[in-house]
């Protein structure tokens, strides 16, 4: 096998493809990146860990077609460190050599025949704006659980209904829901899938500036899979199994008490006041006519408080939150104003974004957070 | 009952003046065993071992039993072999706790500055109490007399200028003695001790130091502090300070316990996941109950396993939010235990510990969406308080494993 291409092209392709390689691969061959050079003037790179696969194709000058398997981590490091000159890769027996300017590397190859067959690409079901998709995924994955003891909650539920995709995630303490418009490939599509939050977030980030991302989905065929494709890059992920809890019912039907606050001012004040909230201790928000008082710390410990402007409708109310969960929600909103909806100091609080103090709510994103409860 | 290395240096007079010596360390002599003997006078003068059945360890032994080599934390089977004529008594933790409270009451008559470090040990800072009670030695003598008269058990008293010296002194003079280590001779005193006598020097550290030629505290004191620091990091600097009797730690009344735990040695080694799981749940419930009794929540759960070959592993995980509920601990503890038992090795001991404690009243409880929406949070509170009530009523069995001094089947640090 023999091919050559520009350093930048190689480095970018290897880095992208190798990014999902597992830290501790279940089998040594899975730490490799599979490189195939074809006669059509392109090389393809692939990684797979039985769950997630990544494939990319880049133009290259192919002199001799062939396939090799080399350590993905090492190749990524090497290609990033090379001088900015054309790179030539050739194989000699069980070794691959890589020459770039005056640098020369010899890499061990792994047996290609031991590499598992890459999963087939799932059927194309539609496409979505990549920036919007990346933002939507980031907004929802903040609420997904990082605790592997509850595997179901480390996933994001993706519901597809005609031209709307709904993303849902919860770690039992908060719940995030985002609706997003997309272009289905055919009418009448209605399905749902569970994708691991980490995988989804990783995939969404890696397609961040691709323009549009094609989405593939294969459900009900034994090996359920989701795939994202854009600009010669494809990533697929196995779907998770399980009955996701019915979480939509958790959103309150109405919130008789509502407060509107400048989002950034609230984020900044929360960060300051939370400095004294050690470990899991809460931050309290007390809303009254025209203002909200934030405070944390009590007794002999350090204390902090801050007053912000707030527009309150309904009775005065005081709630306590885990400051991290509060910041996650406020940051994810991405709108200049936040509307907090309350029913009772111990009941979940709904966070919605607004473009202006007296504007309409942006209801495509909702963050629901359970306050901290104090037993008497 | 102390398991630290016994001080085996020539008994000599370290001096009498105690002007700068404000710290008193009280250590009950063979506490659990002494309480048993006091309640059953026919045991007086006999070797008595307090401990459980089968695979349990010795919690306490009278000095008569110790003459046969019986020590705290020793497996019961070994203790019986060493001293077959010993009378073995099952522990009654609630009783010991009660006597312990009576001891502490006596101590509080002299000063409010009492730091209870375990059921049978406490420090007193008598700097302010001397005006009323005279010298530290006089206070120590008075305490010994009161404990002996009112409770019919004995204690040892060490007096020094710091907690370090007071503690080493009481260990030195045990049993049933009192000693003052004046400030002028405290450095000589501490440096005459074997390295293992310093608090914080356990088996690993002491064998590591011995390998480097450090046998006594004096050897350590004469080693360049930079070198000791290189060997042991911050611990090394601290030990070097102790070797020069530099200990500025204050007597802290109402010591805040850093963790709550429970562990148990199984009656027979097992690799049965079901049996281990039952025990895990029981231990988690015990830990959660202890936390609630103290008004604490914990942020971290630690699982400890000792295999049949005595190799020990501990695994810990931080909870998403602090909790005082067994159900949270069980979920996390299971996740920690499962990969360890998948190895299929036999397990001898299982322990669960809750760490990073906070006051529940200050931090509240992070409820979950489902329990808040269907109001099960309140139901859960009711159930939990009922459980606590029952556990308190049948306290003897729960207290048995939930307390002790590192020497028993259950530890609390």
């Amino acid at each position: 096998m023999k091919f050559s291409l520009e350093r930048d092209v190689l480095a970018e392709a290897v880095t992208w493809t190798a990014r999902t390689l597992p830290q501790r691969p279940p089998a040594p061959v899975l730490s490799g990146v599979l490189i195939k050079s074809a006669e059509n003037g392109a090389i393809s790179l692939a990684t797979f860990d039985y769950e997630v696969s990544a494939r990319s194709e880049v133009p290259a000058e192919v002199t001799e077609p062939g396939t090799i398997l080399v350590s993905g981590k090492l190749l990524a490091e090497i290609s990033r460190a090379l001088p900015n000159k054309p790179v030539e890769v050739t194989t000699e027996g069980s070794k691959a050599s890589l020459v770039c300017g005056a640098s020369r590397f010899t890499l061990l190859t792994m047996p290609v025949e031991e590499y598992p067959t890459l999963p087939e690409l799932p059927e194309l079901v539609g496409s979505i704006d990549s920036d919007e998709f990346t933002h939507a995924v980031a907004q929802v994955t903040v609420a997904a659980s990082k605790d592997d003891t509850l595997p179901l909650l480390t996933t994001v539920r993706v519901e597809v209904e005609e031209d709307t995709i709904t993303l849902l995630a919860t770690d039992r303490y908060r719940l995030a829901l985002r609706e997003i418009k997309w272009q289905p490939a055919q009418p009448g599509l209605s399905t749902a899938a569970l994708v691991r939050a980490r995988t989804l977030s990783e995939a969404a980030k890696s397609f961040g500036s691709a323009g549009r991302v094609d989405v593939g989905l294969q459900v009900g065929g034994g090996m359920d899979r989701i795939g994202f494709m854009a600009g010669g890059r494809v990533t697929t992920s196995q779907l998770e199994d399980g009955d996701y809890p019915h979480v939509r019912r958790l959103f309150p039907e109405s919130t008789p008490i509502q407060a509107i606050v400048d989002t950034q001012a609230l984020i900044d004040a929360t960060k300051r006041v939370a400095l004294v909230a050690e470990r899991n201790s809460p931050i309290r928000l007390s809303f009254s006519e025209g203002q909200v008082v934030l405070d944390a710390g009590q007794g002999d410990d350090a204390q902090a408080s801050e007053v912000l402007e707030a527009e309150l409708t309904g009775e005065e109310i005081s709630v306590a939150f885990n400051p991290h969960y509060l910041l996650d929600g406020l940051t994810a909103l991405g709108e200049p104003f936040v509307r907090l909806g309350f029913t009772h100091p111990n009941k979940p609080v709904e966070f919605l974004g607004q473009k202006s103090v007296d504007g309409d709510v942006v209801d495509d994103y909702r963050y629901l957070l359970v306050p901290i409860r104090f037993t008497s | 009952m102390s398991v630290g290395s016994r001080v085996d240096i020539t008994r000599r007079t370290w001096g009498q003046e105690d002007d700068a010596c404000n710290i008193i360390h009280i250590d009950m002599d063979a506490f659990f065993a002494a309480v048993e003997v006091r309640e059953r006078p026919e045991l007086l003068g006999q070797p008595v071992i307090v401990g459980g059945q089968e695979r349990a360890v010795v919690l306490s032994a009278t000095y008569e039993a110790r003459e046969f080599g019986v020590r705290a934390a020793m497996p019961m089977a070994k203790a019986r072999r060493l001293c077959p004529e010993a009378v073995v008594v099952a522990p009654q933790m609630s009783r010991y706790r009660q006597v312990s409270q009576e001891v502490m009451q006596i101590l509080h008559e002299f000063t409010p500055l009492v730091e209870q470090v375990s059921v049978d040990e406490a420090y007193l800072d008598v700097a302010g109490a001397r005006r009323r009670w005279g010298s530290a030695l006089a206070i120590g003598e008075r305490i010994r007399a009161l404990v002996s008269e009112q409770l019919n058990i004995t204690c040892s008293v060490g007096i020094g200028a710091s907690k370090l010296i007071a503690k080493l002194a009481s260990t030195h003079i045990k049993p049933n003695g009192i000693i003052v280590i004046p400030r002028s001779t405290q450095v000589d005193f501490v440096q005459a001790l074997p390295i293992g006598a310093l608090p914080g020097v356990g088996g690993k550290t002491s064998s590591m130091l011995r390998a480097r030629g450090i046998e006594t505290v004096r050897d350590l004191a004469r080693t360049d502090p930079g070198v000791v620091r290189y060997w042991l990091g911050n611990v090394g600097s601290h030990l070097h300070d102790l070797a020069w009797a530099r200990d500025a730690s204050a007597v802290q009344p109402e010591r805040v316990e850093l963790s709550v735990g429970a562990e148990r040695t199984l009656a027979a080694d097992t690799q049965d996941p079901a049996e281990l799981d039952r025990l895990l749940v029981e231990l988690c419930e015990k830990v959660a109950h202890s936390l609630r009794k103290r008004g604490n929540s914990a942020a971290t759960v630690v699982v400890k396993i000792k295999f049949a070959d005595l190799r020990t592993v501990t695994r810990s995980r931080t909870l998403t939010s602090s909790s005082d509920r067994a159900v949270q601990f069980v979920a996390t503890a299971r996740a920690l235990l499962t990969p360890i038992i998948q190895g299929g090795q036999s397990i001898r001991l299982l322990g669960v510990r809750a760490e990073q404690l906070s006051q529940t009243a200050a931090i509240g409880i992070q409820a979950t969406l489902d329990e808040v929406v269907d109001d099960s949070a309140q139901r859960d509170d009711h159930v939990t308080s009922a459980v606590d009530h029952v556990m308190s009523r049948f306290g003897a069995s729960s207290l048995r494993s939930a307390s002790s001094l590192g020497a028993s089947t259950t530890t609390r640090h």
Side-chain angles (χ1 to χ4, degrees):
Chain A
M1 173 170 107
K2 192 168 182 177
F3 64 86
S4 65
L5 74 177
E6 286 304 314
R7 198 258 347 217
D8 286 353
V9 176
L10 176 72
E12 218 179 289
V14 175
T15 304
W16 186 85
T17 316
R19 79 195 192 288
T20 53
L21 282 176
Q23 289 289 333
R24 288 183 206 84
V29 287
L30 298 182
S31 67
V33 52
L34 189 72
I35 307 175
K36 232 181 236 178
S37 59
E39 273 166 344
N40 60 4
I43 58 161
S44 69
L45 298 91
T47 59
F48 184 41
D49 66 355
Y50 288 115
E51 243 188 77
V52 178
S53 80
R55 275 168 269 197
S56 60
E57 201 172 85
V58 286
E61 200 174 304
V62 179
T63 339
E64 192 191 319
T67 306
I68 53 165
L69 183 61
V70 292
S71 161
K73 195 168 162 256
L74 189 56
L75 185 63
E77 278 170 12
I78 291 172
S79 58
R80 278 195 295 264
L82 288 174
N84 198 3
K85 290 185 174 148
V87 186
E88 189 181 69
V89 179
T90 46
T91 49
E92 300 144 19
S94 65
K95 285 177 181 168
S97 80
L98 186 151
V99 180
C100 177
S103 314
R104 182 189 177 87
F105 291 86
T106 305
L107 301 174
L108 292 179
T109 63
M110 293 179 274
V112 172
E113 54 293 356
E114 282 178 25
Y115 202 74
T117 315
L118 291 168
E120 278 172 41
L121 296 184
E123 187 196 351
L124 184 75
V125 287
S127 75
I128 193 165
D129 179 89
S130 71
D131 289 335
E132 235 183 294
F133 178 57
T134 308
H135 182 223
V137 168
Q139 283 181 303
V140 170
T141 46
V142 285
S145 175
K146 282 155 200 79
D147 182 356
D148 291 331
T149 54
L150 298 164
L152 199 58
L153 299 187
T154 62
T155 67
V156 171
R157 180 170 161 90
V158 181
E159 296 176 353
V160 183
E161 200 64 56
E162 299 280 358
D163 66 344
T164 305
I165 294 182
T166 307
L167 304 173
L168 282 158
T170 180
D171 62 0
R172 301 177 77 216
Y173 307 114
R174 58 260 173 84
L175 165 63
L177 178 151
R178 170 70 201 254
E179 284 175 353
I180 180 171
K181 291 294 174 196
W182 77 317
Q183 205 120 51
Q186 71 263 43
L189 186 65
S190 170
T191 184
L194 293 177
V195 192
R196 279 228 253 149
R198 212 182 318 128
T199 313
L200 186 64
S201 153
E202 184 61 49
K205 270 187 226 158
S206 79
F207 287 115
S209 47
R212 283 198 85 75
V213 179
D214 288 333
V215 182
L217 196 62
Q218 181 178 316
V219 187
M223 285 298 273
D224 294 353
R225 224 171 285 129
I226 192 165
F228 302 98
M229 287 150 256
R233 291 171 175 179
V234 183
T235 183
T236 69
S237 169
Q238 201 177 304
L239 296 178
E240 300 292 316
D241 252 354
D243 290 325
Y244 202 77
H246 296 287
V247 290
R248 279 172 191 269
R249 68 182 171 96
L250 300 174
F251 285 104
E253 278 166 21
S254 66
T255 50
I257 307 168
Q258 299 198 335
I260 300 163
V261 193
D262 179 310
T263 313
Q264 194 54 47
L266 187 53
I267 290 174
D268 294 342
T270 302
K271 283 183 180 163
R272 278 190 290 271
V273 172
L275 292 174
V276 302
E278 277 181 55
R279 217 142 64 198
N280 285 313
S281 68
I283 180 166
R284 185 176 289 281
L285 275 65
S286 306
F287 292 88
S288 55
E289 180 79 53
Q291 67 171 36
V292 53
V293 181
L294 286 74
D295 75 276
Q298 63 166 37
D300 294 337
D301 299 329
Q303 295 168 36
S305 70
E306 185 158 343
V307 188
L308 292 180
E309 248 180 73
E311 208 164 275
L312 179 70
T313 320
E315 284 171 40
E316 294 190 355
I317 191 163
S318 175
V319 290
F321 292 119
N322 172 319
H324 302 293
Y325 295 169
L326 175 61
L327 283 172
D328 281 346
L330 293 173
T331 313
L333 273 184
E335 297 293 347
F337 291 90
V338 51
R339 176 192 289 246
L340 297 95
F342 311 90
T343 49
H344 178 272
N346 280 349
K347 294 284 182 184
V349 179
E350 187 178 42
F351 293 68
L352 292 164
Q354 272 182 218
K355 300 270 183 223
S356 62
V357 185
D358 44 11
D360 288 337
V361 292
V362 182
D363 62 359
D364 63 1
Y365 179 66
R366 286 187 278 173
Y367 184 82
L368 193 66
L369 174 57
V370 185
I372 306 258
R373 175 167 53 102
F374 293 89
T375 48
S376 42
Chain B
M1 165 169 179
S2 165
V3 292
S5 42
R6 292 279 309 179
V7 182
D8 204 21
I9 49 175
T10 338
R11 295 220 167 164
R12 52 163 271 206
T13 317
W14 297 95
Q16 283 297 319
E17 80 279 20
D18 71 348
D19 295 350
C21 298
N22 292 323
I23 311 296
I24 300 183
H25 182 248
I26 315 286
D27 199 350
M28 308 309 296
D29 298 326
F31 183 51
F32 300 169
V35 173
E36 294 296 340
V37 171
R38 162 188 104 162
E39 265 147 48
R40 294 165 62 183
E42 74 274 14
L43 296 177
L44 194 64
Q46 290 200 47
V48 176
I49 298 175
V50 179
Q53 295 300 309
E54 299 177 42
R55 295 278 295 274
V57 292
V58 175
L59 297 180
S60 178
T62 57
Y63 287 88
E64 288 83 359
R66 291 183 198 205
E67 278 182 17
F68 291 88
V70 176
R71 294 284 176 270
M74 176 182 280
M76 283 301 284
K78 186 177 177 193
R80 282 170 198 267
R81 248 192 339 271
L82 288 170
C83 185
E85 58 269 59
V87 181
V88 176
V89 183
Q92 322 172 55
M93 283 298 173
S94 53
R95 187 82 193 96
Y96 308 147
R97 212 164 262 276
Q98 191 188 332
V99 179
S100 168
Q101 270 177 16
E102 289 166 10
V103 173
M104 297 305 147
Q105 267 169 21
I106 292 176
L107 303 184
H108 277 279
E109 285 175 23
F110 295 90
T111 172
L113 295 179
V114 176
E115 176 181 344
Q116 181 173 4
V117 282
S118 66
V119 248
D120 64 351
E121 249 185 282
Y123 291 100
L124 271 71
D125 182 339
V126 295
R130 301 171 75 119
R131 177 170 297 194
R132 180 166 170 210
W133 299 101
S135 68
L137 187 62
I139 295 174
E141 297 279 21
R142 184 94 191 97
I143 288 171
R144 276 169 47 75
L146 287 171
V147 168
S148 161
E149 284 162 22
Q150 295 184 7
L151 306 177
N152 204 14
I153 49 178
T154 65
C155 62
S156 297
V157 172
I159 301 167
S162 64
K163 281 164 75 174
L164 170 77
I165 297 299
K167 162 98 184 175
L168 293 173
S170 70
T171 310
H172 178 60
I173 204 69
K174 255 180 168 315
N176 199 10
I178 182 167
I179 186 174
V180 181
I181 305 293
R183 194 187 271 275
S184 55
T185 55
Q186 65 178 11
V187 172
D188 282 344
F189 170 73
V190 71
Q191 294 190 353
L193 300 171
I195 190 69
L198 285 186
V201 180
K204 270 189 192 160
T205 311
S206 85
S207 59
M208 188 269 219
L209 287 172
R210 287 219 174 87
R212 287 167 172 74
I214 310 282
E215 297 280 343
T216 66
V217 177
R218 179 162 288 121
D219 295 338
L220 183 70
R222 288 181 181 166
T223 308
D224 185 302
V227 173
V228 184
R229 192 183 168 82
Y230 175 72
W231 290 340
L232 295 164
N234 286 336
V235 175
S237 305
H238 176 63
L239 289 180
H240 196 268
D241 279 344
L242 296 185
W244 285 98
R246 290 190 291 257
D247 170 32
S249 60
V251 171
Q252 290 172 327
E254 280 187 62
R255 198 167 89 105
V256 181
E257 286 184 57
L258 298 174
S259 72
V260 172
E263 59 184 55
R264 183 172 316 147
T265 304
L266 290 138
D269 296 341
T270 184
Q271 52 196 45
D272 174 14
E275 185 181 348
L276 290 167
D277 194 66
R278 273 196 298 277
L279 180 56
L280 190 77
V281 171
E282 191 188 323
L283 293 172
C284 286
E285 273 165 1
K286 198 174 282 183
V287 168
H289 175 71
S290 311
L291 283 173
R292 289 193 297 270
K293 255 168 75 177
R294 303 145 48 103
N296 284 148
S297 289
T300 301
V301 174
V302 184
V303 169
K304 173 182 167 188
I305 281 138
K306 193 184 268 179
F307 293 107
D309 62 5
L310 301 184
R311 201 163 46 85
T312 305
V313 290
T314 56
R315 294 281 180 275
S316 69
R317 184 174 288 186
T318 300
L319 300 168
T320 322
S321 63
S322 286
S323 175
D324 61 1
R325 297 296 153 89
V327 59
Q328 306 275 350
F329 299 156
V330 170
T332 305
R334 269 191 192 134
L336 293 169
L337 180 66
T338 309
I340 304 175
I341 60 175
Q342 270 164 1
Q345 283 168 288
S346 286
I347 287 166
R348 178 187 170 87
L349 172 146
L350 184 61
V352 173
R353 206 163 70 237
E355 292 183 347
Q356 289 197 284
L357 308 188
S358 325
Q359 294 293 323
T360 312
I363 63 155
I365 298 163
Q366 173 70 65
T368 61
L369 281 162
D370 33 344
E371 62 189 16
V372 168
V373 168
D374 62 14
D375 279 323
S376 65
Q378 249 169 351
R379 282 204 304 276
D380 184 53
D381 284 350
H382 290 317
V383 171
T384 308
S385 82
V387 167
D388 284 346
H389 188 66
V390 171
M391 282 180 89
S392 302
R393 274 196 67 177
F394 300 97
S397 64
S398 45
L399 281 169
R400 176 171 302 175
S401 339
S403 67
S404 195
L405 317 143
S408 74
T409 49
T410 299
T411 22
R412 186 192 270 194
H413 300 281

